Amino acid sequence: MSAIPAVPAAAPADGRDVSRPVPFLRAARAVFDLSLEGMVWSRRSLLMILLLGLPAPLALVFRTFITRLPPRVGAFDFYGVVIAFYYVRNALPLAALFYATALIADEVEGKTITYLLTRPIQRVSVLAGKFAAYLATTLALALPAVVLTFFLLTTIRGWTGVGALVPDLFRDMGVVVLTLVTYGAFFTLMGVLLRRPVIPGLLFLFVWELLANAPGYLPRFTITAYLRSLIHHRPPDEGLAEIFAQVLPTALCLEAVGGMIVVFLAAAAWIFSNREYVLDQ
Amino acid sequence: MTATLEYVRASRWYGPVIALNDVTTTVGPGVTGLLGPNGAGKSTFLKLAAGQLAPSQGEVRVLGRPAWGSPELFHRVGVCPEPDAFWEGLTGFQFLMALLRLTGFDDAECRRRAEQALEQVALTEARDRKIGGYSKGMRQRIKMAQSLAHDPQVLLLDEPLSGMDPVNRRRIVDLVKKLGREGRTVLVSSHILHEVEAMTRRVLLIHNGRILAEGDVREIRDLMDEHPHTVALRARDPRALARAVVGSTHVLSLTFGAEGEWVTVQTARPDEFYSSVVDAAVEAGVSEMYSPDENLESVFKYLVAR
Amino acid sequence: MTRSRLVVLGATVVVAAGAMAALGALYLDPARAAVGPLPPQALSLPAGTRYVMGLDVKRFVASPLYAKYAAARTSNRPQAFEELEQKTGLNPERDLDQVYIAGSQAGVPGRTGDALVVVVGRFDRAKVARAIETEKRGVTSKNVSGTVVYLFNESASGKGSGATAFLDDDTLVMGTQASVEQTVTARARGEAPLRNNAALLALLESVRPGSTFWMVGDQTLLSNMPKAIPGPGGPGTSQSIELPALKSLMVTGDLDPQVSLDITGEAADEPAAKNLADVVRGFVALASLQANQKPELKQLASAISVTTEASRVHVAARVPYEVLDSLQPRPPRSAPPRPPAPSAP
Amino acid sequence: MPIYEQTYRRYEARAPLRTVRFWPITREALRLILARRAFLGLLLVAWGQFLFRVIQIYVVTRLPEAGRVLPIDGRMFGQFLAIQTLFTLLLSIFGGAGLIANDLRTGAILVYLSRPLTRRDYVLGKLGVLMALNLSVTLVPGLLLYLIALALAPDQFAKWSLAWIGPAVVLQSVVTSLVMSLIALAVSSLSRSARVAGLGFFGLVFGLEIVRGVLRALYDRPESALLSVQADLQSLGNALFGIKDRAFQLPWAYPALVLLAVSLGCLAILRARVRAVEIVR
């Protein structure tokens, strides 16, 4: 049987360097474009859009009915409640759990992971692209609401004195970003580690993280204690839960949060790069 | 023949189950059929080549590099996975564009290649429809398109024709043959034998994780002399034909068809039989002659029965 | 441009616009030129100042507390306001903006301290000046680097018990003669001696402008504060709790829509801060335990939160007015008026 | 001895269709869930409080003055069921999130609906699974606790004046389980991924609770309690068990109305979503 001449293995006409995978950033950018598509504008995001965007309409209600419905809390204190209680303690971690555990699980569950793993790109750029899409999505939903809530609440008596509160706004926006990155990294790791990360994720958020109010060293084993210490709002909490609240030094918080992000993402990348995805027929 | 895929004592097991058992083989350019019943180890064999699984033992190399952990291979390797799974929200064109960008092309090049691939699988008019609304055949074709859009040198196709109607089936078979003629290495896995037979004569029979046989179907068949060859002939006077051939020593048995036109002969030495039957065939008015067990199915049945 | 990308782009635009507006508000804010809540003219206060208090009159008058106070006293508006307005044409509720009190020794026993009061508002300078001059007796005036300083009951040695002067059209300063003159001279020369007091400036910077009243100070502010407070057993019992010396104190508060108070104390070191925090927590826990007798105590307790950050203790209280009303001792129910004695037959 | 014809015989369905057609769906789903070890762990944790309450009853019967700190009367059962509501939340996610979502993704719903089953049977079958799970952590421990209370402290509980506890436990357990099951099922039918359904359900129930927390901090008006499903269930429980709580002052008719509306809404969603074929536009 005559031997069929093989196609020469020389570099293809378009000059791509086929001896090395596609550069990291370019690959991550392509994964980002692909992942962003179904993440923001999809029926599954409807609930997260409501959850992350809700404080803005709430602030509007507060502002327009301030005379008819005299509030118990001052405008700036309500802004503090929104940032500390609503966002950093509850809504942002929940959004992180919702999106970050799905980064890889979605593709595996939908069996579309094969398309990504049969491209000339490193697996770590797949994870990076998807993590960036997660961040873009959640920040696009949360940050505008934070800014709108701030202005709706602090300009009730006009713009005087707003200037002095602006450092608070920028610090809070920074903490919102840090919260989403930290919890995002943690739940990305959980999503890659466990087959069913939802219940463990919820138990972590609403049982383990209660340690943040415990005395002594216990709060340092949670994520929320560091993030809460970074914001300067102290909304008085119901009952005596806040009685033992301690504020960790800012430097320690930034180091801890930075360390956690690096460790979680590195672990997730390493696991994802070495795992085989045997899609059951 | 330069080997594109090389398996050197490659084994793979999932817990107690051995999917691939100490396989050493090579696959070169042209179309090679990977055949075997369900659960024979075909998918594992293919996934090892596609770098989706690491061999538990031994080595699997593609274009000279280890298949597992070498993503750069996919510049020159195209994979058409078996599951019918897509990002349903994307249109056919967006699907190809996204995957081509992941292969490192710039936008203009992506657009050109996407349109070219759509043309090859005749999906140009459905390019802007969501994949969620595609028929089964169209989904299979768009999956083929993504595996060859980046002009790969190696193509690994996992059950490319499963669930396809005859028209689309014909189109894919021709496409695969064309790719093989262009010198690409095409490994087609299937458990439907006549599908593969339509594309190539070179096969790799796999069963219970082992390679039963590899090479051209007819060569394999000839090597199996413990199974007599069957030849079916249709003649005007079948009885005369029978009288002429029954005397030869290599004829083992003779059967007459129900309608009285067909004679089926079992012979140990098919070549001698073909040369000795010519004169008798002219006198008996033979109009048709073929060998029913020369095909893959029977070859496979005989091999498995060993 | 897919819809998802449109959402992300839209969000970026909103956030960027918000940030621009915020930066604009930050740099165009009038209070910017000064130090925290203090106006520029207050920078001419003497460098030795150890404490400063401030009251935003406009916010105070607009607050529910003042409205409640004014409603309670509508019948006899304070006579002093009436007289003041007739003489000087100055209506405190309408014309005053801010009042600051600053000094170095706060009420050191035996010395009257050198407190200075700076009043910022809209004055009819001529009318006020004439009112001061036509004060019955003991008012003399002298010229200090071009500014008229009025002295009250100037003694033979030229020392007045008090002095007042106009720093500019809408700033009146009152206090001891020495500190008024020192301030007036600094103002005339355009100096800002207060800027040399770095510790006080740091405290002032951390005060949130726009709060109705605030107070910053170091030890002197606290020198007349009790060093020990009665133990939980009540004032009569023997043991009392030693209060750790505070290096500095900052208080800010608002009165609208509820009394909100933020107190930050800088202790000597971290253990001292924890000790002080535990003391305050003890009181709050004590209050909430006695909740069954007085339910409003529990509400008060839950409105207070205590946190420590390194050597700083932060106490935040948000007390609604209804809680304050319920805490006030109810006026003893006056005995029902006795029926008029039956008229003599 | 004649040779009988063995070819194909037409099937005449003579036996009448069984009346309870949905039971096999429930039984099979429960069998799958009970086989998972993680579920038994969750069940164990959910019964933790039952153990604590038994000890509490035992201690108070031995040391009556302990009763001042932890009183054991009708209200204890109300508090018990209020805490168990959190476990119905976790169990509904664990068992219910994928009930319909997985069928929609894999197309198994076609298999169900090609059987002699109506869509109502299908929904009843799936609802049966969730009701079984939720009742196993509310009704069963609740009634068991009541029986143990009768046994341990007959003088305190075996009185006509406390005879209402049994029916109250049954009513509150059934209402809690039914509402949570319906919501979990409706959310499960809105998605094709079990994980999204699970988190969507938690986000919905817990999101409403966070919003209520914010509104309560803001306006402290009792109506804000209507917003949260958990608060409505707790208001109902307080009314049933006579618990006075400053946070829930509304008459029980309002929360009952809200729960009814929510349940009807869920049934409407199920009617719209449970369908063999989904039209892709």
Side-chain angles (χ1 to χ4, degrees):
Chain A
M1 198 175 65
S2 64
I4 299 161
V7 171
D14 50 59
R16 272 177 306 135
D17 173 5
V18 296
S19 64
R20 279 182 308 106
V22 175
F24 173 79
L25 278 184
R26 185 184 188 125
R29 169 68 201 275
V31 172
F32 172 81
D33 292 339
L34 175 60
S35 314
L36 191 67
E37 179 43 40
M39 219 179 237
V40 178
W41 194 274
S42 67
R43 189 175 48 199
R44 70 168 55 184
S45 288
L46 205 58
L47 183 78
M48 281 303 139
I49 290 169
L50 289 179
L51 192 68
L52 292 178
L54 194 64
L58 273 183
L60 197 64
V61 163
F62 177 93
R63 182 191 177 97
T64 41
F65 297 108
I66 195 160
T67 47
R68 227 161 312 125
L69 264 176
R72 240 168 39 117
V73 178
F76 192 64
D77 272 338
F78 175 41
Y79 170 74
V81 166
V82 163
I83 294 293
F85 172 74
Y86 186 86
Y87 272 125
V88 172
R89 178 68 187 89
N90 287 300
L92 295 182
L94 206 55
L97 176 61
F98 185 80
Y99 284 113
T101 47
L103 293 186
I104 303 301
D106 254 5
E107 303 292 350
V108 173
E109 207 173 86
K111 295 200 171 87
T112 47
I113 191 86
T114 318
Y115 297 122
L116 296 177
L117 301 186
T118 55
R119 294 294 130 185
I121 53 177
Q122 288 148 325
R123 289 200 182 184
V124 70
S125 50
V126 173
L127 199 67
K130 286 201 161 284
F131 191 76
Y134 146 75
L135 269 186
T137 303
T138 44
L139 287 178
L141 299 178
L143 280 186
V146 167
V147 169
L148 284 177
T149 307
F150 174 81
F151 281 111
L152 283 172
L153 292 178
T154 53
T155 58
I156 291 180
R157 290 203 204 113
W159 281 76
T160 54
V162 171
L165 307 179
V166 162
D168 263 317
L169 170 65
F170 286 121
R171 182 185 305 111
D172 295 339
M173 281 163 76
V175 175
V176 163
V177 173
L178 265 185
T179 307
L180 283 171
V181 176
T182 315
Y183 278 107
F186 178 69
F187 287 125
T188 300
L189 175 59
M190 245 182 163
V192 166
L193 214 57
L194 307 172
R195 264 179 59 79
R196 294 179 194 284
V198 170
I199 297 276
L202 291 175
L203 290 178
F204 170 78
L205 279 186
F206 298 105
V207 176
W208 176 265
E209 293 252 281
L210 293 180
L211 286 181
N213 292 331
Y217 268 83
L218 288 176
R220 293 170 192 241
F221 295 105
T222 67
I223 298 179
T224 194
Y226 297 106
L227 294 167
R228 189 180 58 189
S229 308
L230 287 173
I231 34 179
H232 287 179
H233 303 288
R234 291 284 166 278
D237 208 334
E238 279 307 304
L240 302 180
E242 282 291 312
I243 206 81
F244 294 105
Q246 49 179 288
V247 178
L248 307 173
T250 307
L252 167 71
C253 294
L254 291 178
E255 276 161 32
V257 164
M260 278 194 264
I261 291 170
V262 169
V263 166
F264 291 147
L265 282 183
W270 188 81
I271 291 172
F272 177 54
S273 298
N274 293 287
R275 164 168 289 190
E276 293 164 336
Y277 285 94
V278 183
L279 303 179
D280 31 23
Q281 291 310 70
Chain B
M1 187 172 63
T2 54
T4 318
L5 311 181
E6 292 162 270
Y7 289 73
V8 179
R9 303 189 58 87
S11 299
R12 169 69 207 214
W13 45 79
Y14 306 105
V17 173
I18 297 185
L20 214 58
N21 193 341
D22 189 13
V23 161
T24 302
T25 183
T26 60
V27 178
V31 181
T32 306
L34 179 61
L35 296 163
N38 277 339
K42 296 196 309 297
S43 276
T44 305
F45 186 93
L46 208 72
K47 284 196 170 103
L48 284 172
Q52 302 299 292
L53 295 176
S56 309
Q57 212 177 6
E59 235 189 307
V60 177
R61 306 174 67 79
V62 174
L63 297 167
R65 292 181 187 213
W68 170 260
S70 318
E72 66 279 3
L73 279 176
F74 294 110
H75 282 298
R76 293 177 288 162
V77 173
V79 177
C80 175
E82 191 268 333
D84 176 68
F86 297 90
W87 293 295
E88 307 284 346
L90 297 183
T91 66
F93 184 71
Q94 286 168 343
F95 176 65
L96 291 180
M97 284 291 287
L99 292 180
L100 281 166
R101 269 197 212 101
L102 281 171
T103 314
F105 295 104
D106 54 44
D107 261 14
E109 185 65 13
C110 286
R111 200 162 287 108
R112 188 182 66 77
R113 284 178 178 276
E115 268 139 17
Q116 187 189 346
L118 284 169
E119 239 166 74
Q120 275 185 305
V121 293
L123 272 177
T124 312
E125 80 292 339
R127 56 173 277 173
D128 293 327
R129 268 178 45 201
K130 285 207 166 113
I131 297 182
Y134 277 15
S135 70
K136 172 71 180 161
M138 293 163 82
R139 291 163 78 92
Q140 201 68 23
R141 280 187 281 147
I142 194 77
K143 208 163 38 164
M144 272 294 286
Q146 66 86 22
S147 66
L148 45 91
H150 56 300
D151 194 15
Q153 189 186 334
V154 179
L155 267 154
L156 307 171
L157 312 178
D158 198 344
E159 314 271 2
L161 303 176
S162 71
M164 265 207 187
D165 55 274
V167 172
N168 287 317
R169 189 186 294 262
R170 180 82 250 150
R171 186 176 280 137
I172 294 297
V173 164
D174 295 343
L175 178 59
V176 167
K177 284 161 99 173
K178 181 167 85 65
L179 294 169
R181 277 196 305 277
E182 288 166 2
R184 301 172 202 276
T185 304
V186 185
L187 184 60
V188 185
S189 145
S190 174
H191 62 279
I192 307 166
L193 303 185
H194 64 269
E195 256 185 25
V196 176
E197 212 159 8
M199 295 186 210
T200 174
R201 299 208 57 74
R202 192 146 46 112
V203 292
L204 222 158
L205 303 185
I206 196 166
H207 186 55
N208 287 345
R210 286 181 178 284
I211 303 246
L212 291 183
E214 55 180 309
D216 184 285
V217 176
R218 192 167 298 105
E219 278 170 22
I220 301 172
R221 182 67 188 83
D222 292 347
L223 294 174
M224 296 159 59
D225 43 20
E226 75 271 21
H227 290 285
H229 287 252
T230 316
V231 184
L233 306 104
R234 181 183 193 178
R236 203 177 49 260
D237 180 359
R239 297 288 164 177
L241 180 63
R243 272 196 305 284
V245 299
V246 78
S248 319
T249 55
H250 50 72
V251 171
L252 306 177
S253 75
L254 253 161
T255 334
F256 291 98
E259 308 86 37
E261 286 181 343
W262 287 90
V263 176
T264 309
V265 177
Q266 296 265 329
T267 164
R269 291 188 296 284
D271 302 342
E272 273 178 44
F273 172 77
Y274 285 128
S275 53
S276 65
V277 81
V278 173
D279 311 339
V282 169
E283 279 157 24
V286 167
S287 57
E288 251 183 276
M289 182 171 72
Y290 71 97
S291 168
D293 68 355
E294 196 82 342
N295 60 34
L296 219 40
E297 194 129 9
S298 29
V299 163
F300 193 76
K301 242 195 291 99
Y302 297 151
L303 284 172
V304 168
R306 272 186 175 199
Chain C
M1 173 64 81
T2 62
R3 277 176 300 195
S4 301
R5 204 185 300 276
L6 222 57
V7 167
V8 173
L9 200 64
T12 323
V13 165
V14 168
V15 171
M20 287 307 133
L23 288 174
L26 183 66
Y27 287 110
L28 307 177
D29 194 333
R32 190 72 205 103
V35 174
L38 273 187
Q41 55 267 35
L43 290 178
S44 10
L45 290 172
T49 307
R50 306 284 292 277
Y51 68 89
V52 185
M53 301 185 216
L55 173 70
D56 180 333
V57 178
K58 279 276 166 287
R59 286 238 163 93
F60 176 67
V61 166
S63 71
L65 184 72
Y66 189 80
K68 202 189 301 287
Y69 170 78
R73 294 287 186 284
T74 41
S75 52
N76 40 29
R77 240 165 71 79
Q79 265 60 29
F81 281 5
E82 301 293 340
E83 249 173 55
L84 193 64
E85 187 159 5
Q86 275 137 24
K87 275 206 210 126
T88 62
L90 175 69
N91 172 347
E93 287 168 346
R94 188 192 59 222
D95 301 336
L96 293 192
D97 288 340
Q98 315 277 344
V99 174
Y100 305 98
I101 302 163
S104 52
Q105 287 87 20
V108 170
R111 288 202 48 198
T112 56
D114 53 4
L116 244 172
V117 177
V118 178
V119 182
V120 178
R122 281 161 302 286
F123 304 101
D124 176 343
R125 261 186 100 157
K127 220 171 171 193
V128 171
R130 200 174 333 96
I132 294 174
E133 278 141 14
T134 57
E135 193 54 28
K136 284 188 235 25
R137 36 161 182 68
V139 173
T140 55
S141 65
K142 73 186 248 195
N143 190 298
V144 172
S145 33
T147 312
V148 175
V149 174
Y150 300 97
L151 303 178
F152 298 103
N153 16 14
E154 189 180 8
S155 63
S157 60
K159 283 276 165 289
S161 64
T164 182
F166 273 100
L167 287 187
D168 51 38
D169 284 352
D170 48 20
T171 314
L172 183 69
V173 66
M174 292 176 275
T176 59
Q177 181 181 353
S179 42
V180 167
E181 283 175 2
Q182 201 182 346
T183 310
V184 164
T185 345
R187 179 76 178 158
R189 290 202 207 108
E191 293 158 359
L194 195 62
R195 281 206 185 284
N196 317 340
N197 189 337
L200 199 66
L201 282 195
L203 284 171
L204 283 167
E205 282 292 345
S206 59
V207 170
R208 187 160 49 76
S211 34
T212 306
F213 59 89
W214 52 270
M215 194 187 326
V216 292
D218 49 23
Q219 287 91 341
T220 55
L221 182 71
L222 317 160
S223 52
N224 53 10
M225 292 268 275
K227 282 285 170 294
I229 44 169
T237 54
S238 59
Q239 9 92 309
S240 63
I241 304 163
E242 273 306 313
L243 267 182
L246 277 181
K247 277 177 23 193
S248 75
L249 183 70
M250 190 199 73
V251 179
T252 60
D254 264 311
L255 298 173
D256 183 18
Q258 61 184 345
V259 175
S260 54
L261 213 57
D262 285 280
I263 305 159
T264 308
E266 174 91 25
D269 48 25
E270 193 156 344
K274 279 207 168 21
N275 178 347
L276 180 60
D278 291 343
V279 162
V280 176
R281 284 190 183 117
F283 267 97
V284 171
L286 199 65
S288 66
L289 281 181
Q290 294 169 355
N292 17 43
Q293 288 95 353
K294 288 208 193 79
E296 61 275 3
L297 266 187
K298 177 149 186 359
Q299 259 188 305
L300 181 65
S302 67
I304 294 173
S305 82
V306 182
T307 52
T308 58
E309 184 178 354
S311 60
R312 272 192 302 279
V313 180
H314 181 85
V315 177
R318 300 292 181 270
V319 186
Y321 284 104
E322 336 57 81
V323 173
L324 285 182
D325 299 344
S326 56
L327 283 181
Q328 266 160 359
R330 283 171 192 71
R333 206 184 322 286
S334 50
R338 274 194 335 299
S343 52
Chain D
M1 196 265 293
I3 300 172
Y4 290 104
E5 180 64 42
Q6 296 304 321
T7 56
Y8 173 76
R9 282 197 311 279
R10 211 166 61 78
Y11 172 72
E12 290 95 18
R14 279 179 305 287
L17 288 178
R18 271 214 301 256
T19 46
V20 183
R21 291 187 298 276
F22 66 85
W23 173 244
I25 299 177
T26 309
R27 190 189 58 232
E28 280 318 307
L30 280 178
R31 202 168 47 76
L32 282 177
I33 290 174
L34 293 179
R36 280 160 56 183
R37 273 196 319 276
F39 171 72
L40 302 179
L42 202 55
L43 209 60
L44 215 62
V45 171
W47 275 63
Q49 198 210 169
F50 167 76
L51 218 59
F52 168 76
R53 295 294 178 179
V54 169
I55 297 165
Q56 174 189 344
I57 295 173
Y58 178 77
V59 163
V60 168
T61 49
R62 288 298 168 269
L63 313 154
E65 59 277 356
R68 243 166 21 89
V69 177
L70 286 169
I72 56 163
D73 51 17
R75 288 175 303 173
M76 179 186 75
F77 292 92
Q79 288 147 7
F80 173 77
L81 287 177
I83 294 171
Q84 291 303 98
T85 306
L86 298 179
F87 290 111
T88 59
L89 197 60
L90 280 181
L91 280 176
S92 299
I93 292 172
F94 188 90
L99 277 178
I100 299 182
N102 289 336
D103 288 351
L104 288 177
R105 190 181 70 253
T106 57
I109 195 163
L110 270 168
V111 174
Y112 280 110
L113 296 182
S114 60
R115 290 290 176 281
L117 285 177
T118 63
R119 288 191 302 158
R120 195 168 51 81
D121 297 328
Y122 175 79
V123 170
L124 274 178
K126 298 287 180 179
L127 189 63
V129 178
L130 279 170
M131 284 299 282
L133 292 182
N134 289 332
L135 291 177
S136 70
V137 288
T138 48
L139 184 65
V140 175
L143 283 184
L144 211 57
L145 193 63
Y146 181 50
L147 296 180
I148 289 175
L150 283 172
L152 283 180
D155 45 9
Q156 169 132 15
F157 283 96
K159 291 187 266 184
W160 277 109
S161 63
L162 288 181
W164 53 269
I165 291 180
V169 165
V170 171
L171 181 61
Q172 176 71 0
S173 303
V174 168
V175 167
T176 304
S177 304
L178 189 60
V179 169
M180 283 297 187
S181 306
L182 278 172
I183 297 175
L185 219 52
V187 172
S188 178
S189 73
L190 283 172
S191 161
R192 294 162 67 88
S193 145
R195 197 177 22 71
V196 168
L199 274 168
F201 168 66
F202 183 86
L204 183 68
V205 173
F206 191 75
L208 292 175
E209 186 62 27
I210 305 174
V211 172
R212 176 185 154 252
V214 169
L215 288 180
R216 220 160 72 80
L218 206 57
Y219 295 114
D220 194 15
R221 298 181 63 86
E223 290 82 3
S224 62
L226 285 179
L227 205 57
S228 150
V229 174
Q230 261 170 294
D232 292 328
L233 289 170
Q234 194 150 358
S235 311
L236 223 56
N238 292 354
L240 269 175
F241 292 94
I243 299 171
K244 293 282 171 292
D245 189 334
R246 210 174 69 78
F248 307 100
Q249 287 153 355
L250 284 177
W252 64 271
Y254 294 109
L257 220 61
V258 168
L259 292 177
L260 185 63
V262 164
S263 306
L264 294 178
C266 292
L267 288 175
I269 291 174
L270 286 168
R271 223 160 68 81
R273 288 292 300 167
V274 173
R275 169 180 324 124
V277 180
E278 188 183 1
I279 294 102
V280 175
R281 262 174 296 285

